[in-house]
Amino acid sequence: MSSSLKDVAARAGVSARTVSNVVNGSARVSTQTRQRVQEAIDELGYRPNLAARNLRAGRTGVIGLAIPELHSPYFGELAGLLVDEARRRSWTVIIDQTHGDAEAERRLLTGDGGRAMDGLIISPWALEAQEVATTARPLPVVLLGERSPQGLADRVAVDNVAAADEATTHLLALGRRRVAAIGLQPHLHNGTAEQRAEGYRSALRRAGVTPKPRWERSVTSLHRQDGARAMAELLDGDDGDTPDAVFAFTDELALGALHMAHARGLRVPDDLAVVGFDDIEDGRFSHPTLTTVSPDKRQIAERALQCLADRIYSPENEVPALDLTIPHRLVVRGSTGPGAQAH
């Protein structure tokens, strides 16, 4: 005989409502209680009839995930974590690739794509955060990104200013004073590059180093070839004044910069120290391995889905929109090298 929700409640020593909250992911159940209920569910093999429940509540059991690029290692890894976490909640995830196009982002938010969803997690590149939040209503939406929706929607993000400051400070602590930045994107509205540039400049000024506009390289996209092209531009400066360190705003850009540095005969980290951002898997296998800012991608996935669950299952709760900052850490590897000094 299959187990019921009441059986799970009795085994876990909680109310049936608490079990329902855990299954739905809808309420803020304590970690200990959630674990106890989950253990009872696993022991009894309880399988809720989510299809029937969603039907009664007018829900689909489907959520959307809108990301700019599927082939981006960072977004690919994050999407995988989000899908795994959603599966734990018995959700199906539809993934859309927007390419950072404003109309593509709007179509998803307004439902013009013809897809019925209970909620949407989106990393907008083209639209301002406030437009995303207002256009999506009444669809529950969670933003992944740096621009604040000003209390109109939940947002999950990394402190890019602090992270970029930390990365640049690491390079300065190695004795580097000619620190360049690769990755500015003045054509986008998501604010990521802008905030990372702010942190980069802040660290330089604090160390008494004047930022040089020539050493701040803009890119049209965040791929390896863009990093390689920007690195070549830095090395081809007319005045012969070339950088001894580079902070790249993504690991893909950093890997492109590493490739060009090797092609030009530079030794990394002896002649050029390089730091990236994202902690993608490729950076652990490059030569040398890549020093990088590592955001807690798993926590990004978990917190984004919890925010979405709260909005879907408890729409009547007038809870203020959450603005969550996820931790990061600097992972030091071979591209800066322990104790590497400028020459």
Side-chain angles (χ1 to χ4, degrees), residues 38-295:
Q38 189 59 54
E39 288 173 354
I41 289 172
D42 295 340
E43 290 170 5
L44 296 174
Y46 172 63
R47 294 293 177 266
N49 189 342
L50 293 174
R53 181 179 304 161
N54 286 330
L55 186 62
R56 288 194 299 271
R59 293 190 290 262
T60 65
V62 174
I63 64 167
L65 171 62
I67 56 178
E69 297 177 335
L70 280 170
H71 64 274
S72 160
Y74 171 77
F75 284 114
E77 291 177 18
L78 181 58
L81 291 167
L82 281 160
V83 169
D84 288 344
E85 181 66 17
R87 187 179 293 118
R88 288 184 56 250
R89 300 171 180 271
S90 299
W91 278 345
T92 298
V93 181
I94 296 176
I95 301 177
D96 273 285
Q97 180 175 239
T98 65
H99 297 291
D101 176 73
E103 283 309 309
E105 292 177 357
R106 285 193 189 97
R107 281 195 300 272
L108 284 169
L109 294 167
T110 58
D112 289 346
R115 293 175 175 174
M117 301 180 295
D118 295 332
L120 176 68
I121 296 174
I122 181 171
S123 178
W125 272 10
L127 300 182
E128 295 281 359
Q130 295 94 317
E131 181 178 353
V132 172
T134 54
T135 303
R137 290 183 175 178
L139 180 72
V141 63
V142 175
L143 277 69
L144 304 178
E146 283 58 53
R147 289 294 179 94
S148 172
Q150 297 184 350
L152 297 176
D154 296 326
R155 181 183 71 136
V156 180
V158 175
D159 187 339
N160 280 291
V161 177
D165 187 307
E166 186 176 350
T168 307
T169 297
H170 170 66
L171 292 169
L172 292 164
L174 299 176
R176 310 299 169 117
R177 286 298 179 269
R178 303 189 307 277
V179 183
I182 295 176
L184 284 80
Q185 292 188 291
H187 59 288
L188 292 182
H189 295 291
N190 65 350
T192 304
E194 181 182 324
Q195 291 186 10
R196 291 178 189 178
E198 181 183 343
Y200 157 78
R201 295 172 190 140
S202 174
L204 291 181
R205 293 191 183 100
R206 193 169 57 253
V209 178
T210 302
K212 291 188 176 182
R214 190 183 78 77
W215 284 356
E216 296 183 6
R217 308 309 301 182
S218 297
V219 295
T220 55
S221 61
L222 303 173
H223 304 145
R224 291 168 178 81
Q225 63 265 30
D226 299 280
R229 188 180 303 115
M231 190 72 245
E233 293 170 354
L234 287 166
L235 296 176
D236 291 337
D238 294 335
D239 56 5
D241 188 19
T242 58
D244 59 8
V246 168
F247 168 46
F249 292 3
T250 73
D251 282 355
E252 281 198 87
L253 292 172
L255 292 170
L258 278 177
H259 174 81
M260 183 55 64
H262 287 312
R264 295 295 185 89
L266 297 178
R267 298 167 299 165
V268 178
D270 297 41
D271 303 319
L272 181 76
V274 179
V275 176
F277 201 118
D278 288 338
D279 195 16
I280 64 174
E281 186 177 15
D282 288 358
R284 297 164 215 160
F285 294 91
S286 62
H287 182 73
T289 53
L290 183 63
T291 294
T292 184
V293 174
S294 178

